[in-house]
Amino acid sequence: MQKKDKILAAVTILTVVILVVCVIYDRSSALMARTLAYTLPEDSKLIDIDKHGFLFYRVSYEAKVEINPEDPEQILTCFVDAYGDSGRMLTRKEFNTMTEYMFENYYSYVEIRPEPLTGTTVWMFETDTPEGHHILHFMDLEEGNHGYLYIYYVR
């Protein structure tokens, strides 16, 4: 092999290794583990996530996680353990008023939004991390008796 071929092969191998590291680093579960001070319960399932920014510098993301609707206290315990607070319950009217304003002004880019059942309450938790990042959570009950946790992370 000529020197040029060796250099080309080395650059190609290095590029593939860097790409694999980027894909592993940017996995949804790894991103959430880096940005949240708690781990989700084992029986929760990530339904959808929309990431904003670059591979190694995500400026925000929005996630929808299916949780056990029979045991929402499991999530509340995660928040109390991690942040020392459990958030608050919102009536449907408070939720609609608050989110209408929030999703119009501060979270206008968000595509994943809660759609709670009529007549149910919505749990909300909002916090800032020590690094100054903002995290907003909503937990609701939706069609078909499915419980969901919505996470909005902004750097």
Side-chain angles (χ1 to χ4, degrees), residues 2-136:
Q2 292 181 352
K3 187 176 181 179
K4 276 198 228 178
D5 293 336
K6 288 180 184 179
I7 291 173
L8 181 61
V11 168
T12 303
I13 291 170
L14 182 63
T15 303
V16 169
V17 168
I18 289 172
L19 182 61
V20 168
V21 168
C22 287
V23 167
I24 291 171
Y25 184 79
D26 198 48
R27 286 183 344 261
S28 299
S29 58
L31 175 63
M32 292 173 70
R34 282 193 311 276
T35 56
L36 302 174
Y38 60 90
T39 54
L40 292 168
E42 297 262 338
D43 60 347
S44 61
K45 179 183 173 189
L46 182 64
I47 301 297
D48 195 8
I49 189 166
D50 190 12
K51 305 171 196 173
H52 308 277
F54 300 102
L55 280 176
F56 281 100
Y57 189 77
R58 292 293 180 184
V59 292
S60 66
Y61 68 84
E62 54 202 87
K64 179 179 183 179
V65 179
E66 186 170 10
I67 59 170
N68 182 356
E70 303 298 322
D71 191 16
E73 291 82 18
Q74 207 176 20
I75 299 291
L76 297 178
T77 303
C78 291
F79 290 117
V80 171
D81 291 345
Y83 302 110
D85 190 6
S86 65
R88 65 186 181 131
M89 295 299 283
L90 302 173
T91 65
R92 180 63 187 249
K93 184 177 179 180
E94 290 172 325
F95 171 77
N96 287 341
T97 303
M98 179 182 291
T99 55
E100 183 178 310
Y101 179 77
M102 288 170 59
F103 288 137
E104 245 179 58
N105 297 300
Y106 299 109
Y107 295 95
S108 58
Y109 59 90
V110 168
E111 294 181 17
I112 302 172
R113 297 181 184 193
E115 297 176 18
L117 285 174
T118 305
T120 60
T121 57
V122 177
W123 174 82
M124 178 187 143
F125 178 72
E126 193 170 18
T127 189
D128 291 318
T129 66
E131 298 86 19
H133 306 168
H134 187 75
I135 306 172
L136 173 65

